[in-house]
Amino acid sequence: MIPTTLFYCCDSDLRTDIMRDIQGDVSHMPENELLNAIKRLAVKEESTLVHRLKMNRMVQSPATGIRTYQAALCQYKATCKEPGCVHVCDYSEEIIKDNLIRGIADPEILSDLLGDSKTDRTLDETVSFLV
C-alpha cells in the first residue's frame, strides 16, 4: 500500500516516467526501490563546479552581511595520490577565506584587513575581524 500511495503523490509526468523506467507493477515494488527510482528521475544533481563558479563570482553588495557566503556544496577536498594512502585534505576554509576577502566591497575594511600585522588568520578569525 505504501508504494502505491507514494507513487500517487508524484506529479503525473513523473508517474509516467516511473512507469516507463520500471516497466512493472509499482504496488509490488519495495518502498526503497521506488524511492530510488523517483530520486533518479526527479532530482537533478548540480555539479560541484557549478557551486564553485557561483561562489567564485560572489561579491559583497552594500548592506549585505559577510556571512552570506555559503560554500558547503563546493567540496574543496583532495585525496592523497600516494599508493595506499587514503588521506583526504580539506582545503575549503582557505578557498572560502580567499574568495571572501576578494569579494569585500568596502575599500576601508579591505585596507584594514590587508594592513593588519596578523597575516595567517583562519576563516573564523577573518570573519570575526570583518564583523
Side-chain angles (χ1 to χ4, degrees):
M1 184 165 171
I2 291 175
T4 304
T5 305
L6 182 60
F7 177 75
Y8 282 104
C9 286
C10 298
D11 132 305
S12 62
D13 290 338
L14 181 56
R15 286 196 307 262
T16 303
D17 291 343
I18 292 168
M19 293 307 294
R20 285 184 190 140
D21 185 60
I22 63 168
Q23 298 178 356
D25 187 1
V26 173
S27 64
H28 297 321
M29 279 184 82
E31 180 183 351
N32 63 334
E33 284 182 29
L34 180 57
L35 282 171
N36 287 337
I38 291 169
K39 181 178 178 183
R40 186 176 61 253
L41 295 167
V43 178
K44 182 179 178 192
E45 294 185 26
E46 282 190 318
S47 165
T48 302
L49 294 175
V50 170
H51 296 292
R52 289 180 181 183
L53 283 172
K54 284 180 185 177
M55 191 184 90
N56 286 331
R57 290 181 180 151
M58 289 180 80
V59 179
Q60 181 189 14
S61 56
T64 301
I66 207 75
R67 294 196 181 269
T68 59
Y69 281 75
Q70 299 291 324
L73 301 173
C74 292
Q75 297 182 17
Y76 288 110
K77 297 177 183 178
T79 304
C80 180
K81 302 292 183 203
E82 293 295 319
C85 182
V86 294
H87 179 74
V88 176
C89 179
D90 184 348
Y91 57 101
S92 301
E93 290 204 0
E94 289 300 313
I95 298 293
I96 295 165
K97 180 179 73 171
D98 290 350
N99 279 293
L100 173 70
I101 293 168
R102 180 192 49 77
I104 294 173
D106 187 322
E108 289 182 34
I109 293 174
L110 183 59
S111 179
D112 288 346
L113 180 65
L114 297 176
D116 192 63
S117 60
K118 183 163 175 64
T119 59
D120 60 344
R121 293 182 194 280
T122 65
L123 175 61
D124 287 337
E125 290 172 335
T126 303
V127 170
S128 294
F129 182 88
L130 296 173
V131 277

